[in-house]
């Protein structure tokens, strides 16, 4: 009986538009090929050049962000293989659940650290000099470890129950289904609201120009704007598609409209993996030192003058007057 059920689930998870899913797989492979060396190079700078654990900035948050992106990237070849085989998910139930666990965990971590980075910049610009818990903890790894630990329980619903296509509602909606969907939506919508608030406040401060120099304020606006762009391109479309898919599935299960909604959702989920390519923009907007360091190490022909030296004991980059980035 179990084998029959598993066969039915596998059949129901077949990709009806195989050519389109092959295109999805090709996009994921391209993202993997481009994003893996990019994020690996960023990780190398954080560890061996900046020594993020000794830095007096928010490099700890950014290190965890790139770590989450790299872990997420390792899921893409498996998903691409499933799509090429004509299935929306792995035929192996263990692999299916492990994949969903990794996607939930690292996607949530990526969103969390993007949000924390923006909140940190918000306090620096809108409330400079005011003591806050985030400013006290950002120089230590405790808050980053806490974020990872808080994300782990949120992935438990993905492991409790064998459900159709490993991410769909069954005929009978259960508590696990509700928990899984609540996690999916809240980890995107709540941070998005926070980001909108931070962006509006920072932009207002830039217009008033009452605190800080204009360059610093503009850089903060660029940062929160880049994070908003990442959310708008990568996360919001798949969230809306997920909402429509659930509405269609509950009202017209088995209808062709549901199949089309599932195909659209899978495609927008593939688009969400683009954040692994867009997140490095956040690093550049967070720190001009990081941008200069990255270019001087990997693209020295774009830097005029001598490469930027790094003090290995502190991870700090001096401010030479002669070096200019093209």
């Amino acid at each position: 009986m179990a084998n029959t059920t598993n066969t039915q689930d596998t059949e129901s998870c077949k990709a009806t538009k195989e050519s389109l899913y092959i295109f999805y797989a090709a996009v994921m492979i391209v993202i993997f090929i481009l994003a893996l060396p990019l994020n690996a190079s960023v990780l190398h700078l954080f560890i061996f050049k900046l020594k993020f654990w000794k830095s007096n900035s928010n490099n700890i948050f950014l290190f965890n962000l790139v770590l989450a992106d790299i872990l997420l990237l390792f899921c893409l070849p498996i998903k691409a293989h499933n799509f090429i085989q004509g299935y929306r998910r792995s035929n192996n139930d263990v692999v299916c659940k492990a994949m969903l666990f990794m996607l939930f965990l690292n996607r949530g971590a990526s969103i969390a650290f993007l949000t924390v980075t923006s909140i940190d910049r918000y306090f620096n610009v809108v409330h400079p000099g005011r003591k806050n818990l985030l400013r006290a903890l950002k120089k230590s790894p405790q808050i980053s470890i806490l974020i990872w630990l808080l994300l782990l329980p949120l992935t438990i619903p993905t492991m409790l129950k064998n459900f159709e296509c490993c991410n769909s509602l069954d005929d009978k909606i259960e508590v696990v289904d509700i928990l899984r969907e609540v996690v999916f939506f809240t980890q995107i919508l709540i941070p998005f609201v926070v980001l909108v608030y931070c962006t509006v406040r920072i932009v207002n401060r830039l217009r008033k120009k009452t605190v800080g120099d204009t360059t610093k304020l503009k850089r903060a606006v660029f940062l929160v704007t880049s994070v908003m762009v990442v959310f708008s391109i990568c996360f919001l479309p798949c969230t809306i598609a997920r909402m429509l898919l659930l509405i269609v599935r509950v009202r017209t299960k088995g209808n062709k409209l549901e199949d089309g909604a599932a195909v659209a959702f899978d495609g927008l989920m593939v688009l969400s993996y683009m954040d692994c390519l867009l997140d490095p923009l956040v690093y550049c907007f967070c720190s001009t030192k990081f941008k200069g360091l990255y270019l001087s190490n990997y693209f020295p022909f774009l830097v005029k003058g001598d490469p930027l030296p790094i003090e290995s004991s502190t991870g700090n980059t001096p401010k030479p007057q002669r070096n200019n980035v093209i």
Side-chain angles (χ1 to χ4, degrees), residues 143-160:
I143 188 171
S144 298
I145 295 174
L146 179 62
I147 290 174
W148 283 103
L149 292 177
L150 290 176
L151 288 170
L152 283 174
L154 298 179
T155 63
I156 292 178
T158 67
M159 312 297 290
L160 293 179

Side-chain angles (χ1 to χ4, degrees), residues 11-295:
E11 290 296 321
S12 64
C13 290
K14 278 189 173 180
T16 54
K17 296 178 173 27
E18 294 186 7
S19 59
L20 187 56
Y21 275 83
I22 290 176
F23 171 74
Y24 290 165
V27 172
M28 284 191 288
I29 292 173
V30 171
I31 293 175
F32 178 81
I33 293 174
L34 294 177
L36 184 60
L38 176 61
N39 284 276
S41 63
V42 172
L43 191 66
H44 172 265
L45 288 184
F46 276 127
I47 296 176
F48 297 103
K49 298 294 184 179
L50 290 173
K51 297 188 183 299
F52 68 92
W53 62 91
K54 296 181 180 179
S55 177
N56 293 324
S57 66
N58 58 0
N59 284 342
I60 293 179
F61 295 153
L62 297 178
F63 168 79
N64 282 274
L65 176 59
V66 69
L67 181 63
D69 286 343
I70 288 180
L71 292 174
L72 182 63
L73 281 173
F74 287 127
C75 299
L76 299 191
I78 301 176
K79 287 194 68 69
H81 174 73
N82 295 333
F83 284 179
I84 292 173
Q85 295 296 317
Y87 291 96
R88 297 179 58 212
R89 53 93 165 175
S90 174
N91 293 331
N92 187 305
D93 186 59
V94 175
V95 174
C96 176
K97 289 185 177 182
M99 281 285 297
L100 198 59
F101 174 83
M102 290 292 292
L103 290 172
F104 262 78
L105 177 63
N106 296 298
R107 178 188 176 87
S110 180
I111 292 172
F113 287 109
L114 278 173
T115 306
V116 171
T117 301
S118 298
I119 294 174
D120 177 65
R121 188 54 57 93
Y122 161 78
F123 278 112
N124 288 339
V125 172
V126 180
H127 302 291
R130 178 182 297 182
K131 294 182 179 180
N132 61 80
L133 182 62
L134 182 61
R135 180 172 297 174
L137 294 178
K138 73 174 184 176
K139 299 178 182 179
S140 63
Q142 282 85 344
I143 188 171
S144 298
I145 295 174
L146 179 62
I147 290 174
W148 283 103
L149 292 177
L150 290 176
L151 288 170
L152 283 174
L154 298 179
T155 63
I156 292 178
T158 67
M159 312 297 290
L160 293 179
K161 176 173 170 284
N162 189 12
F163 40 85
E164 181 188 12
C165 278
C166 208
N167 64 350
S168 306
L169 293 177
D170 294 326
D171 293 326
K172 182 180 179 182
I173 301 177
E174 299 183 6
V175 176
V176 175
D177 298 315
I178 297 175
L179 287 176
R180 187 176 61 254
E181 302 304 333
V182 168
V183 169
F184 181 89
F185 288 109
T186 56
Q187 75 173 6
I188 296 176
L189 296 180
I190 292 179
F192 182 73
V193 173
V194 173
L195 289 172
V196 170
Y197 175 80
C198 292
T199 302
V200 171
R201 291 298 304 274
I202 291 177
V203 170
N204 287 338
R205 179 52 57 93
L206 174 63
R207 290 176 177 175
K208 294 179 181 178
K209 299 180 182 179
T210 56
V211 178
D213 59 87
T214 304
T215 302
K216 179 180 177 181
L217 293 175
K218 286 183 177 180
R219 193 178 300 140
V221 172
F222 288 150
L223 167 66
V224 293
T225 302
S226 65
V227 176
M228 288 286 292
V229 169
V230 172
F231 263 74
S232 300
I233 294 177
C234 299
F235 302 131
L236 287 183
C238 67
T239 304
I240 297 173
R242 181 69 180 176
M243 190 180 302
L244 295 176
L245 173 60
L246 295 179
I247 293 174
V248 171
R249 177 169 289 136
V250 171
R251 294 186 176 181
T252 59
K253 189 169 181 63
N255 192 287
K256 288 184 178 181
L257 186 60
E258 179 192 348
D259 181 64
V263 171
F265 170 71
D266 288 338
L268 291 174
M269 280 296 294
V270 171
L271 179 64
S272 72
Y273 304 140
M274 284 288 295
D275 76 302
C276 298
L277 282 172
L278 296 178
D279 283 346
L281 294 177
V282 177
Y283 314 148
C284 292
F285 287 138
C286 273
S287 172
T288 53
K289 290 182 180 180
F290 178 86
K291 178 182 177 181
L293 177 62
Y294 189 91
L295 291 176

